[in-house]
């Protein structure tokens, strides 16, 4: 969902983007792909969390803003790219799914060695996507 898209002044729910396939504020990911990603991640020993991802153009770094997003959208993560991908895919009837590596909890607890985190998460994500491509053939 797009957490910072707001047309509530004209009667829309917070985050509603009005594209085909959207369910109010939420743009559903492809369930088959999501199940396959979780299965692959589990085989690789990667911890997963499945649920709505809130996307927007704001870097969320404080607990109060994070709480509002979680409470409003039941989000399990917040980022800045996936919502746009979801909107374009939904508008064009293309199945999609978003994979995120979480670097911090928007509470000041970002990893001390961010470059090392980026390298490791890129390697793990690449393994998951490679296995996904094989599985979906």
């Amino acid at each position: 969902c797009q957490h910072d898209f707001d047309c509530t002044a004209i009667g829309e729910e917070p985050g509603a983007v009005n594209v085909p396939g959207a369910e109010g504020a939420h743009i559903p990911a492809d369930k088959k792909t999501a199940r396959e990603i979780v299965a692959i991640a589990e085989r690789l020993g990667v911890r997963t969390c499945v649920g709505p991802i809130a996307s927007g153009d704001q870097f969320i770094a404080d607990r109060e803003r994070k709480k509002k997003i979680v409470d409003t959208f039941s989000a399990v993560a917040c980022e800045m790219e996936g919502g746009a991908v979801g909107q374009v895919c939904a508008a064009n009837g293309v199945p999609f799914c978003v994979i995120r590596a979480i670097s911090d909890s928007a509470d000041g607890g970002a990893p001390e060695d961010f470059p090392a985190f980026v390298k490791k998460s890129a390697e793990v994500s690449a393994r998951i996507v490679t296995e996904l491509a094989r599985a979906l053939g």
Side-chain angles (χ1 to χ4, degrees):
C1 63
Q2 294 281 2
H3 70 78
D4 55 4
F5 193 79
D6 188 355
C7 287
T8 55
I10 59 170
E12 299 288 345
E13 68 178 273
V17 292
N18 294 320
V19 295
E23 298 171 0
H26 292 88
I27 304 165
D30 184 67
K31 290 176 178 28
K32 177 184 175 193
T33 304
R35 284 191 302 271
E36 190 65 41
I37 290 168
V38 168
I40 292 166
E42 288 176 354
R43 282 196 304 271
L44 296 174
V46 177
R47 186 172 65 99
T48 62
C49 182
V50 177
I53 298 175
S55 196
D57 66 358
Q58 305 167 30
F59 187 86
I60 306 303
D62 67 83
R63 291 174 202 242
E64 187 175 309
R65 182 72 179 126
K66 174 187 169 182
K67 182 178 178 350
K68 182 176 181 184
I69 291 168
V70 170
D71 291 348
T72 303
F73 301 104
S74 301
V76 299
C78 190
E79 47 97 277
M80 299 175 75
E81 301 85 18
V85 172
Q87 270 184 267
V88 171
C89 288
N92 291 286
V94 175
F96 82 99
C97 197
V98 175
I99 301 172
R100 298 305 309 184
I102 306 301
S103 62
D104 65 77
S105 299
D107 61 4
E112 287 184 27
D113 189 353
F114 187 72
F117 171 83
V118 169
K119 183 178 185 311
K120 180 180 178 187
S121 62
E123 290 168 356
V124 171
S125 296
R127 286 184 66 197
I128 291 171
V129 171
T130 299
E131 291 295 321
L132 178 63
R134 286 187 188 122
L136 297 179

